[in-house]
Amino acid sequence: MSGTSSASSPGRDHPGERAAADPIRLLAIRDTPLSLDEVFTAVGDAAAGGTALFVGTVRSHDSGADVEGLGYSAHPSAEAEMRRIAEKVIADFPVRALAAVHRVGDLRIGDLAVVVAVSCPHRGEAFEACRKMIDDLKHDVPIWKHQTFADGTEEWVGA
């Protein structure tokens, strides 16, 4: 007789190893400061062994030029597009919880521009799902950045 049985072997059959029934906990475009605590708390899940958090901040330079500040604007469909991307991520990974918020309006150097968090049963899945969410958000969601540089020039990015 074998020392192990399939009934006692942990694996993907356990509900905690699969995606949660409703893992999208928070999706928003906001004109107010973002909160790391809010996003991190939103993805808390007792079945998650790994949580990945990405924070995008306004940096002081871009392409060799000093940035004074920037403004983000979003198309009215931006939140719906974020939801489409989030649904794709949860279809591709065993996401227990997902949250993403992006700021619009005028921001200063150091301000939080975007926060994405994903919790999964294991760390590797959490890293991969979080990276997929932020990469697709930045690529596909109609949010545009208007940068103002120290030399008085400006540019639109993503428009």
Side-chain angles (χ1 to χ4, degrees):
M1 182 169 172
S2 163
T4 61
S5 76
S6 61
S8 66
S9 298
R12 299 275 176 197
D13 293 339
H14 188 278
E17 292 290 327
R18 299 189 298 262
D22 185 18
I24 300 175
R25 305 275 175 83
L26 171 64
L27 291 177
I29 307 283
R30 295 191 176 150
D31 62 0
T32 56
L34 306 182
S35 165
L36 292 175
D37 287 340
E38 177 191 26
V39 175
F40 182 71
T41 299
V43 298
D45 189 286
T51 299
L53 180 74
F54 172 82
V55 180
T57 56
V58 178
R59 65 179 178 260
S60 64
H61 62 91
D62 190 27
S63 301
D66 292 333
V67 173
E68 291 276 312
L70 57 82
Y72 282 103
S73 57
H75 188 272
S77 68
E79 275 192 36
E81 186 64 14
M82 281 176 68
R83 178 162 293 279
R84 184 192 66 75
I85 291 164
E87 288 170 351
K88 174 89 169 88
V89 169
I90 63 174
D92 292 344
F93 298 92
V95 174
R96 299 299 306 173
L98 179 148
V101 290
H102 201 297
R103 179 95 185 264
V104 292
D106 294 329
L107 284 78
R108 292 173 283 150
I109 305 304
D111 283 349
L112 304 182
V114 61
V115 182
V116 173
V118 178
S119 61
C120 291
H122 305 281
R123 72 179 175 274
E125 300 158 340
F127 280 127
E128 291 175 31
C130 188
R131 182 176 186 117
K132 179 73 171 156
M133 183 66 200
I134 187 59
D135 286 353
D136 288 358
L137 186 156
K138 295 306 283 182
H139 187 264
D140 295 340
V141 176
I143 297 174
W144 307 287
K145 177 169 62 172
H146 180 242
Q147 296 187 113
T148 305
F149 297 100
D151 66 3
T153 61
E154 55 188 52
E155 75 173 348
W156 283 94
V157 179

